Amino acid sequence: MWEGLRLQVLLLCLGAVLWSSAAVAGSRGPQDRGHRHHHPSVYRSRERRKEGQVLHRSKRGWVWNQFFVIEEYTGPDPVLVGRLHSDVDTGDGNIKYILSGEGAGTIFVIDDRTGNIHATKTLDREEQAEYTLTAQAVARDTNKPLEPPSEFIVKVQDINDNPPVFLHGPYYASVAEMSNVGTSVIQVTASDADDPTYGNSAKLVYSILQGQPYFSVEPHSGIIRTALPNMDREAKQEYDVVIQAKDMGGHMGGLSGTAQVKITLTDVNDNPPKFSQGVYAMSVSEDKVPGEEVGRLKAKDTDQGENGLVDYTVLEGDGMNYFEISKDSETQEAVIKLKKPVDFETKRSYTLKVEATNPYLDTRFISWGPYKDTTIVKISVEDADEPPSFMATSYTFEVEENAPGGTLVGRVHARDTDIANNPIRYLIPRYTDLEEFFTISPEDGTIKTTRSLDRETQAWHNISVSATEIGGHHQDAKVRVNIKVKDVNDNAPEFATQEEVLMCENVTPGTIIKTVSAVDKDEMAHRQHFHFSLAPRVANNLNFSLKDNRGESSMLPMSVVCLDQQ
Ligand SMILES: *[C@@H]1O[C@H](CO)[C@@H](O)[C@H](O)[C@H]1NC(C)=O
Ligand SMILES: CC(=O)N[C@H]1CO[C@H](CO)[C@@H](O)[C@@H]1O
Ligand SMILES: [Ca+2]
Ligand SMILES: [Ca+2]
């Protein structure tokens, strides 16, 4: 419809270069952009414009409904954006040009006689890229429109006034150690507020400022890749990389921004476990009981997590039956414990061949292995100061009662099982023989009585004897000694009862008058019995007889029989 209007717009050319691109602004091609970034020429052209260079519309077909004004212009005078001109304008001042729309009267002011439009302040394309305005030509006296109103656009011309910015930095990334060269780590992206469709103001190129030769960045994608083979986490784990994004396609004079990228190498299993010693010496006392810890050793593995886990096994050695190996999962140490008691006097040293292995292997690095190590553990058995030991677990002796003091009862014998073979001293702990019936020879362990014993008072003297090492740690041992007092027949039998016997007259001969029995304090052997007889005083009295019931038991009662009375 603009074709039909007679309102002419004079474009103010900002210079030949700017002009040409403005003329085809609707269909800018890459070849045009190639010219557009020569900003010095833009500034130069501005100077010329101030001299009043004005181009007239010379042919139809322009995209002439657009004005261009460069952003961020800070000259002393307002920028002339363009000029409205109507064909009916004869230059006599009867036409009045009116501007309305976005920014009319504030940002854009028009000289209503000449049609010159000026921008009153600097414009920022990144704030507002274009303004839609309406031009009118009216008769100055009647205010009658001389042309239909026509809409046009003022486009703010981009300059490179915005640096690239990494909006998501700083970045944290990780990549496995030993990765192949070219392994992608992370992609970083910067943004540029300038016009991406125009010139190179927003055309970014990435480069690496810090982090070479370990990493590289792809210039156009911002993808960071590894650049060095065999990067070893165990040598260096963290890298501070700085990436720069530069606009103007990376050329001189472009603006730039940087981002920090912290790259951490993650672990792979590329180190075997390693014992620091070829031989580990340990010792165990012979008095340790099975289950007790003998010692620890550790194979170091510089890898992390499960790559650094170590398992231990005993491969061989004469100590295999006596010691077992386990792992302290907290410290990753091998723990050697006693499995069976050891005896210094029997065998004084054992050897174990211990292997440490990584349970989790990485197939890619198998050839760098083997992921195991072996070492020798030498365990010496230490002599423990063991208490003396009696030759018997207990002793039983006999001594005759009434034997005189000083009679030999028996002899105990203990000895020191240690190599030192310390001499032994014996004694009877007083509390086991309160009345001091016995003495013992400290040197040779012979027990004697101190006085004669009476079986009928105490038949057993169950005492203890202790044996103590002289020297060493004075360890001692005790043994039970049961002493039996042997009986001798030193007691006369007595009647069990001492009663008078009353009997009636005229009893029938053969009647049992009384049964008597006897007791004896002495020990009664089996089938032993008493012999009964009538006292001599009545032995010739034929009126009574005594019947000895010998036979069944040791204390059979006797019958006294009343003889027939005449
Ligand atoms: C003493 O030891 C003997 C034999 O072991 C035992 O028959 C007896 O009952 C013990 N006497 C005492 C008082 O412990
Ligand atoms: C020795 C004795 O005392 N014998 C007497 C037995 O009994 C007759 C009759 O009762 C006496 O006459 C005896 O003296
Ligand atoms: Ca820019
Ligand atoms: Ca590793």
Side-chain angles (χ1 to χ4, degrees), residues 386-566:
E386 293 163 294
S389 139
F390 282 95
M391 307 304 276
T393 53
S394 71
Y395 295 85
T396 303
F397 299 127
E398 290 186 345
V399 61
E400 275 194 3
E401 64 175 329
N402 301 333
T407 301
L408 178 66
V409 176
R411 182 179 176 191
V412 295
H413 188 203
R415 93 186 153 79
D416 180 11
T417 54
D418 298 323
I419 285 296
N421 202 4
N422 289 318
I424 304 290
R425 290 293 175 268
Y426 302 95
L427 68 85
I428 299 168
R430 208 27 58 207
Y431 63 89
T432 71
D433 178 26
L434 287 169
E435 289 166 79
E436 296 186 39
F437 286 115
F438 306 97
T439 58
I440 191 163
S441 156
E443 284 82 19
D444 68 9
T446 50
I447 300 170
K448 289 180 178 171
T449 56
T450 56
R451 54 187 184 274
S452 61
L453 304 175
D454 181 20
R455 190 202 68 84
E456 286 70 39
T457 314
Q458 188 173 349
W460 285 91
H461 294 268
N462 297 351
I463 64 171
S464 289
V465 169
S466 79
T468 308
E469 276 177 42
I470 295 183
H473 294 97
H474 302 285
Q475 303 229 55
D476 69 346
K478 282 194 184 68
V479 73
R480 177 148 280 275
V481 178
N482 296 329
I483 299 165
K484 183 182 183 184
V485 183
K486 266 188 2 192
D487 190 39
V488 297
N489 194 358
D490 56 344
N491 288 281
E494 293 163 28
F495 283 100
T497 52
Q498 294 278 356
E499 300 164 348
E500 235 173 275
V501 180
L502 295 172
M503 62 168 275
C504 46
E505 288 182 280
N506 306 321
V507 291
T508 319
T511 304
I512 294 173
I513 303 165
K514 167 79 177 169
T515 304
V516 296
S517 60
V519 293
D520 191 316
K521 284 179 185 154
D522 292 325
E523 205 169 37
M524 301 297 290
H526 187 56
R527 287 192 170 271
Q528 192 175 345
H529 66 275
F530 298 102
H531 174 75
F532 293 86
S533 57
L534 290 173
R537 190 163 49 88
V538 291
N540 298 319
N541 187 336
L542 298 176
N543 289 341
F544 302 98
S545 69
L546 177 79
K547 188 185 174 201
D548 191 348
N549 291 329
R550 60 169 46 199
E552 298 313 310
S553 75
S554 57
M555 292 173 72
L556 276 179
M558 300 294 150
S559 299
V560 176
V561 179
C562 274
L563 295 179
D564 189 20
Q565 290 185 336
Q566 262 84 14

Side-chain angles (χ1 to χ4, degrees), residues 160-163 192 194 201-202 247 255:
N160 187 14
D161 58 342
N162 288 283
D192 191 311
D194 291 324
S201 300
D247 60 19
L255 303 173

Side-chain angles (χ1 to χ4, degrees), residues 41-58:
S41 70
V42 172
Y43 300 138
R44 247 195 339 271
S45 68
R46 241 184 227 146
E47 299 307 311
R48 263 181 282 160
R49 184 183 53 189
K50 283 201 195 112
E51 288 155 19
Q53 193 181 40
V54 175
L55 286 186
H56 291 264
R57 179 187 180 194
S58 58

Side-chain angles (χ1 to χ4, degrees), residues 144-193:
K144 250 181 67 188
L146 300 174
E147 301 262 7
S150 113
E151 213 171 62
F152 67 99
I153 292 170
V154 174
K155 283 205 163 181
V156 182
Q157 192 75 52
D158 186 39
I159 63 165
N160 187 14
D161 58 342
N162 288 283
V165 177
F166 288 93
L167 294 175
H168 304 292
Y171 297 86
Y172 298 91
S174 60
V175 65
E177 61 171 331
M178 302 295 165
S179 287
N180 292 330
V181 168
T183 302
S184 166
V185 180
I186 189 178
Q187 181 173 24
V188 296
T189 310
S191 46
D192 191 311

Side-chain angles (χ1 to χ4, degrees), residues 254-327:
L255 303 173
S256 64
T258 59
Q260 308 275 340
V261 187
K262 193 174 253 328
I263 299 176
T264 305
L265 296 186
T266 55
D267 192 44
V268 300
N269 192 359
D270 57 343
N271 291 283
K274 192 110 194 76
F275 286 109
S276 56
Q277 294 165 231
V279 176
Y280 290 81
M282 296 177 184
S283 62
V284 59
S285 171
E286 60 176 334
D287 61 0
K288 289 266 193 271
V289 298
E292 282 196 61
E293 186 175 320
V294 175
R296 290 172 176 240
L297 66 162
K298 186 178 182 180
K300 287 219 176 82
D301 188 312
T302 49
D303 292 325
Q304 256 183 342
E306 74 174 25
N307 296 329
L309 290 182
V310 181
D311 284 350
Y312 300 93
T313 45
V314 175
L315 293 183
E316 56 185 43
D318 58 7
M320 279 184 93
N321 293 330
Y322 292 88
F323 301 94
E324 59 193 358
I325 201 161
S326 59
K327 187 169 88 169

